[in-house]
Amino acid sequence: MQTSQTGNLMVVQCSEGCPVANAILAGVIGEALNHETIENVYGCLKGLHGLLHEEIIDLAEESQQTIRALQHTPGAALGTSSLTLKRPQDIERALQVIRAQEVHSLILIGDLDTQESALKIAEAAEEQGYKLSVITIPASIENNLPVTDHCLGFGSAAKALSLTVRELSCELASSITSGPRVHILEVPGTQSGWLAASSTLAKRRNEPEDAPHIVCMPETHFETQGFLSAVQKALVKHGYAIVVTAEGITDADGNFVAQPADPADNLSRPSVAELLANLVRTELSIRAEWSRLGVLASTAAHCLSQND
Amino acid sequence: MQTSQTGNLMVVQCSEGCPVANAILAGVIGEALNHETIENVYGCLKGLHGLLHEEIIDLAEESQQTIRALQHTPGAALGTSSLTLKRPQDIERALQVIRAQEVHSLILIGDLDTQESALKIAEAAEEQGYKLSVITIPASIENNLPVTDHCLGFGSAAKALSLTVRELSCELASSITSGPRVHILEVPGTQSGWLAASSTLAKRRNEPEDAPHIVCMPETHFETQGFLSAVQKALVKHGYAIVVTAEGITDADGNFVAQPADPADNLSRPSVAELLANLVRTELSIRAEWSRLGVLASTAAHCLSQND
C-alpha cells in the first residue's frame, strides 16, 4: 500500500474463471489487517455490478475459518460479472460510491478488461482530486495480459493440465498393442496459446519425447498436412500420439478452424478437438479419441500451484 | 490363495482405462511374497497378448521403489490389450504357456471380457486335470460388472468426477449476474450410468440442491421436453444448471441420442454434451457450455480413492 491516506479498502473480484481468485481475496484481507492506515475492508458483491449498485459487505466480519477456506475454493466467493466500466456515467457512479464509502484503496482482481476499468476509475479520481490508490491483481488462466510475467491462476491451471497430459500418456502407452491411438485434448485459449503450451511442463527432464507430441496454438496458423504428418511421425516413434490444442486455432487465412455456424455467437463454436480427431480418422484411418476441458481448466482447486 | 499347490504366480493386466490397475499389481506382488507356496511372480506383457506369445517378465526382479511407484501410476505398467480369449486354439495355447512356466496361480485384472477369458482358462485347466487357481480382480471405472459390489477403479474415477462437479458449481455460482449459465459435462458410460450417477457424491449432507442438478443415464430414456423443463427449473432455483450425462444415453426408441454417422464405428460418436448444449441454446436461448472428459475420467491418479 503506497497510500498513507487513512481510509477504507475495497476489493472487487472481476471477470470469470480463475482457480485462485478466492485465494487472492484471502491474501488481500489478511494483509490489509496489517496496515494501520486501513480501517474497514469492504468487498463488492457480483464484481463491478456491486460497485455500481452499492452492494457491499464488510469482510472483516467474516470468520477466520471462512477466510481460510477461501484458499481452496474455486470461483469467486463475492460473486463476479463480466461487466466492465466503459461509459462515463458508470465511472462517475462508481466514484460516487467509492467516495461515499470513504474508500481510499481499491483492489480489482481480474483480466485485461479489469485493467481498463481500473485505469478509468484512477483517472477520474485524479481529475476530481480524490486520493485513491487503485491496484489491479492480474488473474487469468489464459495468462493473456501483456507485460505481466505471469497472471495469477495460470500456474494452477498449467499444473492441472500438464498433470492430466502426463497421466493420459501413461494410459495410452499401456495399450499400444490394441493398435495406434491418437488423443486430442482441447483447452481454453482463443487469443493466446499459453495454456496449451503449458501442457508440456510435466515432460521429464531430458525427455523431449514425452507427451504432448503436438501442441496447436492460436499464435501459429494450423496447416492440415503438417499436422497429419506430425501425428504420423509421433505414431511411428511412440505407437500413440497426444495432441493438445487451444480452442481458438486459425487457418492460413486467419479464420477459426472450428468456425461457429453463426460467427456472432462464439459460444456455439464446435469442438476443434472433434474436428481434428475426425481428420485423423478419415485421412489416416487411425483410432482417434478426443476430450474437451472447457471451463474445467479453471476450476481445478485441488491442484493449486505454489506459484499462485 | 486357496491352492496349496506349490508353483509360480502369473498376473495379467487386461482391458483398458483404470486408474488403479497398477496399484492392484503392486498389491498382488506384495501379497504374493507372503505365501510360501508361491515361488516366482511373473507378469505378462501387453495383457493376454503376452500370455499367448510368452512375453513374460519376472516381477520379483523389479526394485521396491518401482513397485511402490506403481501405486500412483495410471495406465497399466505391464501393458495391456483389448484381446480376449475366445477361440479354443487360443485357450489351448494359453494353457500350454501356463504349464510350461509351472504357473499354478493366475490372476487377471480387468472388466467383463476378462472374466469370460478367465472362466474359459479355468474350465480348460480342469478338463486337463491341471491344478490352476484362477482369480479375477474386477477393475472398471464404469463399474459395469454384475454381482460385484463395486469394481476397483470406480471409486477413484467417482471421486475425481464428483470433485470436478463440485468445483465447477463454485465457478458457475460466482457469475450468475452475467446471466444464467448451463454447463453440460459428458462422462464415459455407454451401457451403464454408474459413473454419471457418481457425480452426485460430493453433494453436501442435507443439501440435495447441490450440483449436479440433472443426471442423464443410459438406464432411462432421454426425453427432450422433460430435459428442457428440468433445466429451466434448475435455472429458476439456482441461476445456473449443471448437467452430467453419460455418453451412451438413448431416446425412447432405444437409439443413441448421439448416433454416429456410421454405426459400426462407435469411436466417431459425436458429443452428447454438444447436442444437449445446442438444444438448450436453440430452445431456451440460454448460454450453454459443454465439456467432455472421455478417457481423462480414468487417468486421474492424483485423485486416488481410499476405497480403491
Side-chain angles (χ1 to χ4, degrees):
Chain A
M1 309 291 142
Q2 294 186 350
T3 178
S4 57
Q5 175 80 39
T6 299
N8 300 325
L9 171 78
M10 181 179 285
V11 56
V12 193
Q13 292 180 311
C14 308
S15 74
E16 293 165 14
C18 174
V20 292
N22 286 328
I24 297 170
L25 182 61
V28 166
I29 299 169
E31 180 63 20
L33 299 175
N34 296 333
H35 293 264
E36 292 200 350
T37 52
I38 291 172
E39 293 176 337
N40 290 312
V41 181
Y42 295 134
C44 271
L45 297 180
K46 306 174 200 161
L48 290 168
H49 178 94
L51 183 54
L52 294 188
H53 296 81
E54 212 160 349
E55 292 182 39
I56 290 162
I57 60 168
D58 185 346
L59 286 168
E61 278 183 5
E62 300 296 325
S63 73
Q64 291 185 55
Q65 205 177 22
T66 302
I67 301 303
R68 183 181 286 187
L70 286 177
Q71 293 177 21
H72 301 280
T73 312
L78 296 176
T80 182
S81 75
S82 53
L83 182 73
T84 54
L85 300 186
K86 289 193 173 142
R87 300 181 308 169
Q89 63 265 45
D90 287 343
I91 311 267
E92 181 51 39
R93 168 70 187 146
L95 209 52
Q96 268 177 14
V97 174
I98 288 169
R99 295 182 82 134
Q101 299 287 342
E102 293 178 32
V103 168
H104 288 283
S105 306
L106 177 68
I107 297 189
L108 302 175
I109 305 166
D111 61 9
L112 202 56
D113 285 337
T114 309
Q115 312 288 320
E116 287 174 23
S117 301
L119 182 64
K120 289 196 173 147
I121 294 173
E123 286 171 350
E126 201 173 343
E127 269 174 35
Q128 298 186 10
Y130 180 73
K131 189 152 191 181
L132 178 67
S133 296
V134 181
I135 299 169
T136 61
I137 302 182
S140 155
I141 62 153
E142 294 189 22
N143 202 31
N144 56 357
L145 262 69
V147 188
T148 316
D149 174 64
H150 65 273
C151 296
L152 293 168
F154 174 61
S156 295
K159 179 178 170 186
L161 175 60
S162 55
L163 181 63
T164 296
V165 167
R166 186 73 197 281
E167 292 177 340
L168 182 62
S169 77
C170 288
E171 174 68 30
L172 262 62
S174 300
S175 56
I176 50 178
T177 46
S178 306
R181 282 168 79 178
V182 176
H183 190 98
I184 324 249
L185 171 61
E186 181 179 332
V187 301
T190 38
Q191 253 115 68
S192 72
W194 281 101
L195 196 59
S198 77
S199 66
T200 63
L201 289 175
K203 287 191 180 200
R204 286 166 296 174
R205 200 182 295 262
N206 301 325
E207 295 285 351
E209 302 291 346
D210 272 350
H213 308 110
I214 301 162
V215 178
C216 304
M217 300 188 292
E219 284 83 353
T220 52
H221 291 308
F222 179 80
E223 196 269 301
T224 306
Q225 281 317 313
F227 169 72
L228 290 174
S229 64
V231 168
Q232 279 177 309
K233 216 180 273 180
L235 287 173
V236 168
K237 266 195 192 160
H238 313 290
Y240 70 100
I242 293 181
V243 179
V244 174
T245 178
E247 59 192 6
I249 57 171
T250 54
D251 62 19
D253 300 324
N255 298 316
F256 287 118
V257 171
Q259 194 79 36
D262 172 8
D265 174 19
N266 80 359
L267 286 169
S268 70
R269 177 170 296 146
S271 166
V272 174
E274 183 176 18
L275 287 179
L276 298 190
N278 282 335
L279 200 60
V280 170
R281 266 196 291 265
T282 51
E283 298 296 316
L284 304 180
S285 302
I286 300 275
R287 177 176 170 187
E289 301 147 359
W290 59 280
S291 54
R292 184 190 214 211
L293 276 188
V295 70
L296 299 183
S298 62
T299 58
H302 61 285
C303 266
L304 287 188
S305 162
Q306 289 249 330
N307 196 294
D308 281 338
Chain B
M1 308 291 145
Q2 293 186 352
T3 176
S4 57
Q5 175 80 40
T6 299
N8 300 325
L9 169 79
M10 182 180 284
V11 57
V12 194
Q13 291 180 309
C14 308
S15 73
E16 294 165 13
C18 174
V20 292
N22 286 328
I24 297 170
L25 182 62
V28 166
I29 299 169
E31 179 64 20
L33 299 174
N34 296 333
H35 294 262
E36 292 201 351
T37 52
I38 291 173
E39 293 176 337
N40 291 312
V41 181
Y42 294 135
C44 270
L45 297 180
K46 305 174 202 162
L48 290 167
H49 178 94
L51 183 56
L52 293 187
H53 296 83
E54 212 159 351
E55 292 182 40
I56 290 161
I57 61 166
D58 187 345
L59 286 170
E61 278 182 6
E62 299 297 326
S63 73
Q64 291 184 56
Q65 204 176 23
T66 302
I67 302 301
R68 182 180 287 185
L70 286 177
Q71 293 177 21
H72 302 280
T73 313
L78 295 175
T80 182
S81 74
S82 52
L83 182 74
T84 54
L85 301 184
K86 288 192 174 144
R87 300 180 308 170
Q89 63 266 43
D90 286 343
I91 311 274
E92 181 53 36
R93 169 67 187 147
L95 210 51
Q96 268 177 14
V97 175
I98 287 168
R99 296 183 80 137
Q101 300 285 345
E102 294 178 31
V103 168
H104 288 284
S105 306
L106 178 68
I107 296 188
L108 302 177
I109 304 166
D111 61 10
L112 203 56
D113 285 337
T114 309
Q115 312 287 319
E116 286 173 23
S117 301
L119 182 63
K120 288 197 172 147
I121 295 173
E123 285 170 350
E126 200 172 346
E127 266 175 34
Q128 298 185 13
Y130 180 73
K131 188 151 192 182
L132 179 67
S133 297
V134 180
I135 298 169
T136 61
I137 301 182
S140 156
I141 61 154
E142 293 189 22
N143 202 29
N144 56 358
L145 263 69
V147 187
T148 317
D149 174 63
H150 64 273
C151 296
L152 293 169
F154 173 61
S156 295
K159 179 179 170 185
L161 175 60
S162 55
L163 182 62
T164 296
V165 168
R166 186 72 198 281
E167 291 177 340
L168 181 62
S169 76
C170 289
E171 173 67 30
L172 263 62
S174 300
S175 57
I176 51 178
T177 45
S178 307
R181 282 169 78 178
V182 177
H183 191 98
I184 322 249
L185 172 61
E186 180 178 332
V187 300
T190 37
Q191 254 114 67
S192 71
W194 281 101
L195 196 59
S198 77
S199 65
T200 62
L201 289 174
K203 286 191 182 202
R204 285 166 295 174
R205 198 183 296 261
N206 301 326
E207 294 286 352
E209 302 290 347
D210 272 351
H213 307 111
I214 301 162
V215 178
C216 304
M217 301 189 291
E219 285 82 353
T220 50
H221 291 310
F222 178 80
E223 198 268 302
T224 305
Q225 280 318 314
F227 168 72
L228 290 174
S229 63
V231 168
Q232 279 176 308
K233 216 180 273 178
L235 287 174
V236 168
K237 266 195 191 159
H238 312 292
Y240 69 100
I242 294 182
V243 179
V244 175
T245 179
E247 59 192 5
I249 56 170
T250 55
D251 62 19
D253 301 323
N255 298 317
F256 287 117
V257 170
Q259 194 80 34
D262 171 9
D265 174 19
N266 79 359
L267 285 171
S268 68
R269 175 170 298 145
S271 167
V272 174
E274 184 175 17
L275 288 179
L276 299 191
N278 282 334
L279 200 59
V280 170
R281 266 195 291 264
T282 51
E283 299 295 317
L284 304 181
S285 302
I286 299 274
R287 177 175 170 188
E289 301 148 358
W290 58 280
S291 54
R292 185 192 211 205
L293 276 188
V295 69
L296 299 183
S298 62
T299 58
H302 62 286
C303 266
L304 288 187
S305 161
Q306 289 249 331
N307 195 295
D308 280 339

